Amino acid sequence: MNLISSSCLLLLRSFSRNIHRRNTHPFISRLYTEGSSQTTVELSKAQLQKLRVQEQRFKRRLHSVHRKFSVVPENSEFQGQHHVYFEDGKGIYRSPLGHDEQEMLEVFNADWGGGGYGTIQRVRLSPSETMLAVAVKKDHHEETRCMLVPLGGVIHCQKALLVLDNVLSFEWATDDVLYYSTQETLRCLCVFRLHLSDSDVETTLVYKEKDPEFFVEVSRSRDQRLVTINCSSKISSEVWFVDSKTPLSFPTLIQSRQPGLLYHVEHSDNYLFILANTGANQEYQLLRAPLASPTMPHWVPLFSAVPGTVIKDMELLQDLCVFTVKDSQCRLQIQTLSTQEPYQLNTHQLPHWACDLSPQRVGTVDRGSFGFLLSSPVHPPVRYLYSSREQKLSVTEDTTKYISLTEFNTTRLQAASQDGTMVPLTLLHMPALSELHKAPLLLHVYGAYGVDLNMAFSPEKRMLMEDGWALAYCHVRGGGERGLAWHRAGSVLQKRRGVEDLAACIQTLHHLGVSHPALTALTARSAGAVLAGALCNHNPQLLKAVILQAPFLDVLGTMQDPSLPLTIEERGEWGDPLIREHWDNIASYCPCHNIIPQLYPSMLITAYSEDHRVPLSGIMKYVERLKKAIQVCTTRDGVNARVPVVILDLQPGGDHFGPEDFHLSLNESARQLAFLYTELDHQKTRRRQKERSNNLTGKSHRPRN
């Protein structure tokens, strides 16, 4: 079970003019990058050439660092009754269990779907391994289709048996019954049942959501007994189930939706195991109910999180629940609870560097173990396995390949926010904390939808740290790092708390001697840009540069337009501007509506021309207002110092979450790194550090051009 799946799916929901002749004014460019960068306006030749040279240099470096970590473990493998399967993003291959991987056979290729659908998003194997269902995404867009492929006998086909358009989630109830949800204009409201027979294919609508604030997805219990239909809004949820023993029956309701009630279900031995926010402070606790009597009056509490920790996820094994929990400083732990009396709780400590836990794909067999990958933004993934039989947590692969990596520090800090709340902060660095005053600092923030910051391994982040950067992750209110209450404390009328938390994190780091404003940059994407943009309006002096990707910047304008696909669904996060109190609150922090004449940090804003989640008009409005404010400030105050740069990198397509294509993604990362190093002038600092290091070791140094 993935507790953030509903939130993440909700979240997944969730021109410039010629520049002035003088260098004291900001420049804005549209960069269309298909092959090489081009710009539609005249820029300083020196500035443009410097950026392009830097971008090409970083492309070479990124290719090198990705090759270095090309063999790190991934969740690309899953197992059936007779075969092991491997997925590489474009194709799926299998080999018989116990045989060498040399015998791998292609069973699916994303190109079979045609029409520009080319990236695998979701894979489900039928219980007896006779059918494969695969969702593929259209290149540069969010449309997906589900392709069904038969696996029985010798596989010769080069096409799918059946193609279902606009399918988001799906699960097999049996080898011939598939349940799936459809998505239109980012809304997912309907669930269908597909029955494959020898003579016909029958499709039946089994559920239709009537409330536009809800989002519907299909999932399956780990023991494969139940297919569940999960209906979720920002403030409540409702779950229906179909028993695979009667796959053609209509769904049974577990508990009807109630305002404020969130719950998720698993199944084992005719009992439902329910994670619901019925614990203290409306946090998750584990309850149990008979499958035959699933409603709330029959829910019996089994376990609540230890004070100071919150439950982030749960996997149900045979006679055992495995919880992923976080403590007050966002350290990860594994806790196990026996599901039979006497209930016994055990805690398993994880390495201090662990920041991200990614569960291994579940196949069609083996409920006796829980496999997962541990990583951090700068530590490559390591595969772990918890065995319920041995009640033991172990590393399942040789980690000596990482010994050559330079040691780094993971420092857990807390910052006191404006109202006294202590905000967790994770700092990754190589030099000691006391030696970071002159280090460039890259901050990360999100703080929305109850979703944790992404802290999985990134070769780019590893490269930055080895270049001397310190990386800070601000776990502000509005995110999910400290549980459901942490999210509530930073949503709707409390959204400004996240901005205050972010400012407190930056000020705390500077006070501790970690970097300084002239060497501090901030990166955020999508809804995280709300906090970043608001901070720049109120505390621009804290930062030198900002990178925003697919940014949500015009909250007030967007939330007043109910014709946009996500406006109604998002009211539980941002508020409803039709309510005066909500309108005033959004207007008080909305980045686009609080720009004033002052010197802002330099900005690189990446947007996508067909992004349906974040209206491009809001981004363009923000950029124009920002440009005008900086020009007014520099003209009024006669600024002679270097003026902030504002670059709009407008890319084709609708890849709100960034390009799927490796080379396009690499190009985007290279542009961002070129911007950061140029604005913070880090190349000179890095060169001086190398020269000092080489002088100490007696090595000569000749800088590259």
Coordinates of all heavy atoms in Angstrom, one line a residue, residues 317-391:
L317 N 2.2 -8.2 5.0 CA 2.8 -9.5 4.7 C 1.9 -10.6 5.4 O 0.9 -10.2 6.1 CB 4.2 -9.6 5.2 CG 5.2 -8.5 4.7 CD1 6.6 -8.8 5.2 CD2 5.1 -8.4 3.2
Q318 N 2.3 -11.8 5.4 CA 1.6 -12.9 6.1 C 1.8 -12.7 7.6 O 2.9 -12.8 8.1 CB 2.0 -14.2 5.6 CG 1.6 -14.6 4.2 CD 2.2 -15.9 3.7 OE1 3.2 -16.3 4.2 NE2 1.6 -16.5 2.7
D319 N 0.7 -12.4 8.3 CA 0.7 -12.2 9.8 C 1.6 -11.1 10.2 O 2.0 -11.1 11.4 CB 1.2 -13.6 10.4 CG 0.4 -14.7 10.1 OD1 -0.9 -14.5 9.9 OD2 0.9 -15.9 9.9
L320 N 1.9 -10.1 9.4 CA 2.8 -9.0 9.8 C 2.5 -7.8 9.0 O 2.3 -7.8 7.7 CB 4.2 -9.5 9.5 CG 5.3 -8.7 10.2 CD1 5.3 -8.9 11.8 CD2 6.7 -9.0 9.7
C321 N 2.5 -6.6 9.7 CA 2.4 -5.3 9.0 C 3.8 -4.7 9.1 O 4.4 -4.7 10.2 CB 1.4 -4.4 9.7 SG -0.3 -4.8 9.3
V322 N 4.2 -4.2 8.0 CA 5.5 -3.4 7.9 C 5.2 -2.0 7.7 O 4.6 -1.6 6.6 CB 6.4 -4.0 6.8 CG1 7.7 -3.2 6.8 CG2 6.7 -5.5 7.0
F323 N 5.6 -1.1 8.6 CA 5.3 0.3 8.5 C 6.6 1.1 8.2 O 7.6 0.8 8.7 CB 4.7 0.9 9.8 CG 3.4 0.3 10.3 CD1 3.4 -0.7 11.3 CD2 2.3 0.7 9.7 CE1 2.2 -1.3 11.7 CE2 1.0 0.2 10.2 CZ 1.0 -0.8 11.1
T324 N 6.4 2.0 7.3 CA 7.5 3.0 7.1 C 7.1 4.3 7.9 O 6.0 4.8 7.7 CB 7.6 3.4 5.6 OG1 7.9 2.2 4.9 CG2 8.8 4.4 5.4
V325 N 8.0 4.7 8.8 CA 7.6 5.8 9.7 C 8.8 6.9 9.6 O 9.9 6.6 9.2 CB 7.4 5.4 11.1 CG1 6.3 4.4 11.2 CG2 8.7 4.9 11.8
K326 N 8.4 8.1 10.0 CA 9.4 9.2 10.1 C 9.3 9.8 11.5 O 8.2 9.9 12.0 CB 9.1 10.3 9.0 CG 9.6 9.9 7.6 CD 9.5 11.1 6.7 CE 10.2 10.8 5.3 NZ 10.0 11.9 4.4
D327 N 10.5 10.2 12.0 CA 10.5 10.8 13.3 C 10.4 12.3 13.1 O 10.2 12.8 12.0 CB 11.6 10.4 14.1 CG 13.0 10.9 13.6 OD1 13.0 11.7 12.7 OD2 14.0 10.4 14.1
S328 N 10.5 13.1 14.2 CA 10.4 14.5 14.1 C 11.4 15.2 13.3 O 11.2 16.4 12.9 CB 10.4 15.1 15.6 OG 11.6 14.8 16.2
Q329 N 12.5 14.6 13.0 CA 13.6 15.2 12.2 C 13.6 14.5 10.8 O 14.6 14.6 10.1 CB 14.9 15.1 12.9 CG 15.0 16.0 14.1 CD 16.5 16.1 14.6 OE1 17.2 15.1 14.8 NE2 16.9 17.3 14.8
C330 N 12.5 13.8 10.5 CA 12.4 13.2 9.1 C 13.3 12.0 8.9 O 13.6 11.7 7.7 CB 12.5 14.2 8.0 SG 11.2 15.5 8.0
R331 N 13.8 11.4 10.0 CA 14.6 10.2 9.8 C 13.7 9.0 9.6 O 12.6 8.9 10.2 CB 15.5 9.9 11.0 CG 16.7 10.9 11.1 CD 17.5 10.5 12.4 NE 16.8 10.8 13.6 CZ 17.2 11.7 14.5 NH1 18.4 12.4 14.3 NH2 16.5 12.0 15.5
L332 N 14.0 8.1 8.6 CA 13.2 7.0 8.3 C 13.5 5.8 9.2 O 14.6 5.6 9.7 CB 13.5 6.5 6.9 CG 12.9 7.4 5.7 CD1 13.6 7.0 4.4 CD2 11.4 7.2 5.6
Q333 N 12.4 5.1 9.5 CA 12.5 3.8 10.3 C 11.6 2.8 9.7 O 10.6 3.1 9.0 CB 12.1 4.1 11.8 CG 13.0 5.0 12.6 CD 12.4 5.2 14.0 OE1 11.3 4.7 14.3 NE2 13.1 5.9 14.8
I334 N 11.8 1.5 10.0 CA 10.9 0.5 9.6 C 10.4 -0.1 11.0 O 11.2 -0.4 11.9 CB 11.6 -0.7 8.8 CG1 12.0 -0.2 7.4 CG2 10.8 -1.9 8.8 CD1 10.8 0.0 6.5
Q335 N 9.1 -0.2 11.1 CA 8.5 -0.9 12.3 C 7.6 -2.0 11.8 O 6.9 -1.9 10.8 CB 7.6 0.1 13.1 CG 8.5 1.2 13.7 CD 7.6 2.2 14.6 OE1 6.4 2.2 14.5 NE2 8.3 2.9 15.4
T336 N 7.7 -3.1 12.5 CA 6.9 -4.3 12.2 C 5.9 -4.6 13.3 O 6.3 -4.5 14.5 CB 7.8 -5.5 11.9 OG1 8.6 -5.8 13.0 CG2 8.7 -5.2 10.7
L337 N 4.7 -5.0 13.0 CA 3.7 -5.4 14.0 C 3.1 -6.7 13.6 O 2.6 -6.8 12.4 CB 2.6 -4.3 14.0 CG 1.5 -4.5 15.0 CD1 1.9 -4.3 16.4 CD2 0.3 -3.6 14.7
S338 N 3.1 -7.7 14.5 CA 2.4 -8.9 14.2 C 0.9 -8.7 14.2 O 0.4 -7.9 15.0 CB 2.8 -10.0 15.3 OG 2.4 -9.5 16.6
T339 N 0.2 -9.3 13.3 CA -1.3 -9.1 13.2 C -2.1 -10.1 14.0 O -3.3 -10.1 13.9 CB -1.7 -9.2 11.7 OG1 -1.3 -10.4 11.1 CG2 -1.0 -8.1 10.9
Q340 N -1.4 -11.0 14.7 CA -2.0 -12.0 15.6 C -1.6 -11.7 17.0 O -0.5 -11.2 17.3 CB -1.6 -13.4 15.2 CG -1.9 -13.8 13.7 CD -3.4 -13.8 13.4 OE1 -4.2 -14.1 14.3 NE2 -3.7 -13.5 12.2
E341 N -2.5 -11.9 17.9 CA -2.2 -11.7 19.3 C -1.2 -12.8 19.8 O -1.2 -13.9 19.3 CB -3.5 -11.9 20.2 CG -4.5 -10.8 19.9 CD -5.7 -10.9 20.8 OE1 -5.6 -11.6 21.9 OE2 -6.8 -10.3 20.5
P342 N -0.2 -12.3 20.7 CA -0.1 -11.0 21.2 C 0.6 -10.1 20.2 O 1.6 -10.5 19.6 CB 0.8 -11.2 22.4 CG 1.6 -12.4 22.1 CD 0.7 -13.3 21.2
Y343 N 0.1 -8.9 20.0 CA 0.7 -8.0 19.0 C 2.0 -7.5 19.5 O 2.2 -7.0 20.7 CB -0.3 -6.8 18.8 CG -1.7 -7.2 18.4 CD1 -2.8 -6.9 19.2 CD2 -1.9 -7.9 17.3 CE1 -4.1 -7.3 18.9 CE2 -3.2 -8.3 16.9 CZ -4.3 -8.0 17.7 OH -5.5 -8.4 17.4
Q344 N 3.0 -7.6 18.7 CA 4.4 -7.2 19.1 C 4.9 -6.3 18.1 O 4.9 -6.5 16.9 CB 5.3 -8.5 19.2 CG 6.7 -8.2 19.6 CD 7.5 -9.5 19.8 OE1 7.0 -10.6 19.7 NE2 8.8 -9.3 20.0
L345 N 5.5 -5.2 18.6 CA 6.0 -4.1 17.7 C 7.5 -4.1 17.8 O 8.1 -4.1 18.9 CB 5.5 -2.7 18.1 CG 6.0 -1.5 17.3 CD1 5.4 -1.6 15.9 CD2 5.6 -0.2 18.0
N346 N 8.2 -4.1 16.7 CA 9.7 -4.1 16.6 C 10.1 -2.9 15.7 O 9.4 -2.7 14.7 CB 10.3 -5.4 16.1 CG 10.1 -6.5 17.0 OD1 10.4 -6.4 18.2 ND2 9.5 -7.6 16.5
T347 N 11.1 -2.2 16.1 CA 11.7 -1.1 15.3 C 13.0 -1.4 14.7 O 13.9 -2.0 15.4 CB 11.8 0.2 16.2 OG1 10.5 0.5 16.7 CG2 12.3 1.3 15.4
H348 N 13.2 -1.2 13.5 CA 14.5 -1.4 12.8 C 15.1 -0.1 12.3 O 14.5 0.6 11.5 CB 14.2 -2.4 11.6 CG 13.5 -3.7 12.0 ND1 14.2 -4.8 12.3 CD2 12.2 -4.0 12.1 CE1 13.4 -5.8 12.6 NE2 12.1 -5.3 12.5
Q349 N 16.2 0.2 12.8 CA 16.9 1.5 12.4 C 17.5 1.3 11.0 O 18.0 0.3 10.6 CB 18.0 1.8 13.4 CG 17.5 2.0 14.8 CD 16.5 3.2 14.9 OE1 16.6 4.2 14.2 NE2 15.6 3.1 15.9
L350 N 17.4 2.4 10.2 CA 17.9 2.4 8.9 C 19.2 3.3 8.9 O 19.4 4.1 9.8 CB 16.9 3.0 7.9 CG 15.6 2.1 7.8 CD1 14.6 2.8 6.9 CD2 15.9 0.7 7.3
P351 N 20.0 3.2 7.9 CA 21.3 4.1 7.8 C 20.9 5.5 8.0 O 19.9 6.0 7.5 CB 21.8 3.7 6.5 CG 21.3 2.4 6.1 CD 19.9 2.3 6.7
H352 N 21.8 6.3 8.6 CA 21.6 7.7 8.9 C 21.4 8.5 7.6 O 20.8 9.6 7.6 CB 22.7 8.3 9.7 CG 24.0 8.4 9.0 ND1 24.8 7.4 8.7 CD2 24.6 9.5 8.4 CE1 25.9 7.8 8.0 NE2 25.7 9.1 7.8
W353 N 22.0 8.0 6.5 CA 21.9 8.8 5.3 C 20.6 8.6 4.5 O 20.3 9.3 3.5 CB 23.1 8.4 4.3 CG 23.3 7.0 4.1 CD1 24.2 6.1 4.7 CD2 22.5 6.1 3.2 NE1 24.1 4.9 4.2 CE2 23.1 4.8 3.3 CE3 21.5 6.3 2.3 CZ2 22.6 3.7 2.6 CZ3 21.0 5.3 1.6 CH2 21.5 4.0 1.7
A354 N 19.8 7.6 4.9 CA 18.6 7.2 4.2 C 17.6 8.4 4.2 O 17.1 8.8 5.3 CB 18.0 6.0 4.8
C355 N 17.2 8.8 3.1 CA 16.2 9.9 2.9 C 15.0 9.5 2.1 O 13.9 10.2 2.2 CB 16.8 11.1 2.3 SG 18.1 11.9 3.2
D356 N 15.1 8.4 1.4 CA 14.0 8.0 0.5 C 13.9 6.4 0.6 O 14.9 5.7 0.5 CB 14.2 8.4 -0.9 CG 13.1 8.0 -1.8 OD1 12.0 8.7 -1.8 OD2 13.2 7.0 -2.5
L357 N 12.6 5.9 0.7 CA 12.4 4.5 0.7 C 11.4 4.2 -0.4 O 10.3 4.7 -0.4 CB 11.8 4.0 2.0 CG 11.7 2.5 2.3 CD1 11.9 2.2 3.7 CD2 10.4 2.0 1.8
S358 N 11.8 3.4 -1.4 CA 10.9 3.1 -2.5 C 10.6 1.6 -2.5 O 11.5 0.7 -2.7 CB 11.7 3.4 -3.8 OG 10.9 3.0 -4.9
P359 N 9.4 1.2 -2.2 CA 9.0 -0.3 -2.2 C 9.3 -1.0 -3.5 O 9.1 -0.4 -4.6 CB 7.5 -0.3 -1.8 CG 7.3 1.1 -1.2 CD 8.2 2.0 -1.9
Q360 N 9.7 -2.2 -3.4 CA 9.9 -3.0 -4.6 C 8.6 -3.4 -5.2 O 7.6 -3.5 -4.5 CB 10.7 -4.3 -4.3 CG 11.2 -5.1 -5.4 CD 12.1 -6.3 -5.0 OE1 12.6 -6.3 -3.9 NE2 12.2 -7.2 -5.9
R361 N 8.6 -3.5 -6.5 CA 7.4 -3.9 -7.2 C 6.9 -5.3 -6.7 O 7.7 -6.2 -6.5 CB 7.6 -4.0 -8.7 CG 7.7 -2.7 -9.4 CD 7.8 -2.9 -10.9 NE 7.9 -1.7 -11.6 CZ 7.9 -1.6 -12.9 NH1 7.7 -2.7 -13.7 NH2 8.0 -0.4 -13.5
V362 N 5.6 -5.4 -6.5 CA 5.1 -6.7 -6.0 C 4.6 -7.5 -7.2 O 3.8 -7.0 -8.1 CB 3.9 -6.4 -5.1 CG1 3.3 -7.7 -4.6 CG2 4.4 -5.6 -3.9
G363 N 5.1 -8.7 -7.4 CA 4.6 -9.6 -8.4 C 3.4 -10.4 -8.1 O 2.5 -9.9 -7.3
T364 N 3.3 -11.6 -8.5 CA 2.1 -12.4 -8.2 C 2.3 -13.4 -7.1 O 1.5 -14.2 -6.8 CB 1.6 -13.1 -9.5 OG1 2.7 -13.9 -10.0 CG2 1.3 -12.1 -10.6
V365 N 3.5 -13.4 -6.5 CA 3.9 -14.4 -5.5 C 4.7 -13.8 -4.4 O 5.1 -12.7 -4.5 CB 4.7 -15.6 -6.2 CG1 3.9 -16.4 -7.2 CG2 6.0 -15.0 -6.8
D366 N 4.8 -14.6 -3.3 CA 5.7 -14.3 -2.2 C 5.2 -13.1 -1.4 O 5.4 -12.0 -1.6 CB 7.1 -14.0 -2.6 CG 8.0 -13.9 -1.4 OD1 7.6 -14.2 -0.3 OD2 9.2 -13.5 -1.6
R367 N 4.4 -13.4 -0.3 CA 4.0 -12.4 0.6 C 4.8 -12.5 1.9 O 4.4 -11.9 2.9 CB 2.5 -12.6 0.9 CG 1.6 -12.2 -0.2 CD 0.1 -12.3 0.2 NE -0.1 -11.5 1.3 CZ -0.9 -11.8 2.4 NH1 -1.4 -13.0 2.4 NH2 -1.1 -11.0 3.4
G368 N 5.9 -13.2 1.9 CA 6.7 -13.4 3.1 C 7.8 -12.4 3.2 O 8.6 -12.5 4.2
S369 N 8.0 -11.5 2.3 CA 9.1 -10.5 2.4 C 8.7 -9.2 1.8 O 7.7 -9.0 1.1 CB 10.3 -11.1 1.7 OG 10.0 -11.2 0.3
F370 N 9.4 -8.2 2.2 CA 9.2 -6.8 1.8 C 10.5 -6.2 1.3 O 11.5 -6.1 2.1 CB 8.6 -5.9 2.9 CG 8.6 -4.5 2.7 CD1 8.1 -4.0 1.5 CD2 9.1 -3.6 3.6 CE1 8.0 -2.6 1.2 CE2 9.1 -2.2 3.3 CZ 8.5 -1.7 2.2
G371 N 10.6 -6.0 0.0 CA 11.9 -5.5 -0.6 C 11.7 -4.0 -0.9 O 10.6 -3.5 -1.2
F372 N 12.8 -3.3 -0.7 CA 12.7 -1.8 -1.0 C 14.1 -1.3 -1.3 O 15.1 -1.9 -1.0 CB 12.1 -1.1 0.2 CG 12.8 -1.3 1.5 CD1 13.8 -0.4 2.0 CD2 12.4 -2.3 2.4 CE1 14.4 -0.6 3.2 CE2 13.1 -2.5 3.6 CZ 14.1 -1.7 4.0
L373 N 14.1 -0.1 -1.9 CA 15.4 0.6 -2.1 C 15.5 1.8 -1.2 O 14.6 2.5 -1.0 CB 15.4 1.1 -3.6 CG 15.4 0.1 -4.7 CD1 15.4 0.7 -6.1 CD2 16.6 -0.9 -4.6
L374 N 16.7 1.9 -0.6 CA 17.0 3.1 0.2 C 18.0 4.0 -0.6 O 18.9 3.5 -1.2 CB 17.7 2.7 1.5 CG 16.8 2.2 2.7 CD1 17.6 2.0 3.9 CD2 15.7 3.2 3.0
S375 N 17.7 5.3 -0.5 CA 18.7 6.2 -1.2 C 18.6 7.5 -0.5 O 17.8 7.8 0.4 CB 18.4 6.3 -2.7 OG 17.1 7.0 -2.9
S376 N 19.4 8.5 -1.0 CA 19.3 9.9 -0.7 C 19.6 10.6 -2.0 O 20.0 10.0 -2.9 CB 20.2 10.3 0.5 OG 21.5 10.6 -0.1
P377 N 19.4 11.9 -2.0 CA 19.7 12.7 -3.2 C 21.1 12.5 -3.7 O 21.4 12.6 -4.9 CB 19.4 14.1 -2.9 CG 18.4 14.0 -1.8 CD 18.7 12.8 -1.0
V378 N 22.0 12.1 -2.8 CA 23.4 12.0 -3.2 C 24.0 10.6 -2.9 O 25.2 10.3 -3.2 CB 24.3 13.0 -2.4 CG1 23.9 14.4 -2.8 CG2 24.2 12.9 -0.9
H379 N 23.2 9.7 -2.4 CA 23.6 8.3 -2.2 C 22.8 7.4 -3.1 O 21.6 7.3 -3.1 CB 23.4 7.9 -0.7 CG 24.1 6.6 -0.3 ND1 23.8 5.4 -0.9 CD2 25.1 6.4 0.5 CE1 24.5 4.5 -0.3 NE2 25.4 5.0 0.5
P380 N 23.5 6.6 -3.9 CA 22.8 5.7 -4.9 C 22.0 4.7 -4.1 O 22.2 4.3 -3.0 CB 24.0 5.0 -5.6 CG 25.2 5.9 -5.4 CD 25.0 6.5 -4.1
P381 N 20.9 4.2 -4.8 CA 20.0 3.2 -4.1 C 20.7 1.9 -3.7 O 21.6 1.4 -4.4 CB 19.0 2.9 -5.2 CG 19.1 4.0 -6.2 CD 20.5 4.5 -6.1
V382 N 20.3 1.4 -2.5 CA 20.8 0.1 -2.0 C 19.6 -0.7 -1.7 O 18.6 -0.2 -1.1 CB 21.6 0.3 -0.7 CG1 22.0 -1.1 -0.1 CG2 22.8 1.2 -0.9
R383 N 19.6 -2.0 -2.2 CA 18.4 -2.8 -2.1 C 18.4 -3.5 -0.7 O 19.4 -4.2 -0.3 CB 18.4 -3.9 -3.2 CG 17.1 -4.5 -3.4 CD 17.1 -5.5 -4.6 NE 17.5 -4.9 -5.8 CZ 16.7 -4.2 -6.6 NH1 15.4 -4.0 -6.3 NH2 17.1 -3.7 -7.8
Y384 N 17.3 -3.4 0.0 CA 17.1 -4.1 1.3 C 15.9 -5.1 1.2 O 15.1 -4.9 0.4 CB 16.8 -3.0 2.4 CG 18.0 -2.3 2.9 CD1 18.7 -1.3 2.2 CD2 18.5 -2.6 4.2 CE1 19.8 -0.7 2.7 CE2 19.7 -2.0 4.7 CZ 20.3 -1.0 3.9 OH 21.4 -0.3 4.4
L385 N 15.9 -6.0 2.1 CA 14.9 -7.0 2.2 C 14.5 -7.3 3.7 O 15.4 -7.5 4.5 CB 15.3 -8.3 1.5 CG 14.2 -9.4 1.4 CD1 13.1 -9.0 0.4 CD2 14.8 -10.7 1.1
Y386 N 13.2 -7.2 4.0 CA 12.8 -7.6 5.3 C 12.1 -8.9 5.2 O 11.1 -9.0 4.4 CB 11.9 -6.6 6.0 CG 11.4 -7.1 7.3 CD1 12.2 -7.0 8.4 CD2 10.2 -7.7 7.4 CE1 11.8 -7.5 9.7 CE2 9.8 -8.2 8.7 CZ 10.6 -8.1 9.8 OH 10.2 -8.6 11.0
S387 N 12.5 -9.9 5.9 CA 11.9 -11.3 5.8 C 11.1 -11.5 7.0 O 11.6 -11.4 8.2 CB 13.0 -12.3 5.7 OG 12.5 -13.6 5.9
S388 N 9.8 -11.8 6.8 CA 8.9 -12.0 8.0 C 9.2 -13.4 8.6 O 9.0 -13.5 9.8 CB 7.4 -12.0 7.5 OG 7.2 -13.0 6.5
R389 N 9.7 -14.3 7.8 CA 10.1 -15.6 8.4 C 11.2 -15.5 9.4 O 11.2 -16.1 10.5 CB 10.4 -16.6 7.3 CG 9.2 -16.8 6.3 CD 9.6 -17.8 5.2 NE 8.5 -17.9 4.2 CZ 8.4 -17.1 3.1 NH1 9.3 -16.1 2.9 NH2 7.4 -17.3 2.3
E390 N 12.3 -14.8 8.9 CA 13.5 -14.6 9.8 C 13.4 -13.4 10.7 O 14.2 -13.2 11.6 CB 14.7 -14.5 8.9 CG 14.9 -15.7 8.0 CD 16.1 -15.5 7.1 OE1 16.9 -14.5 7.3 OE2 16.3 -16.3 6.2
Q391 N 12.3 -12.6 10.5 CA 12.2 -11.3 11.2 C 13.5 -10.5 11.2 O 14.0 -10.1 12.2 CB 11.7 -11.6 12.6 CG 10.3 -12.2 12.7 CD 9.8 -12.3 14.1 OE1 10.4 -11.7 15.1 NE2 8.7 -13.0 14.3

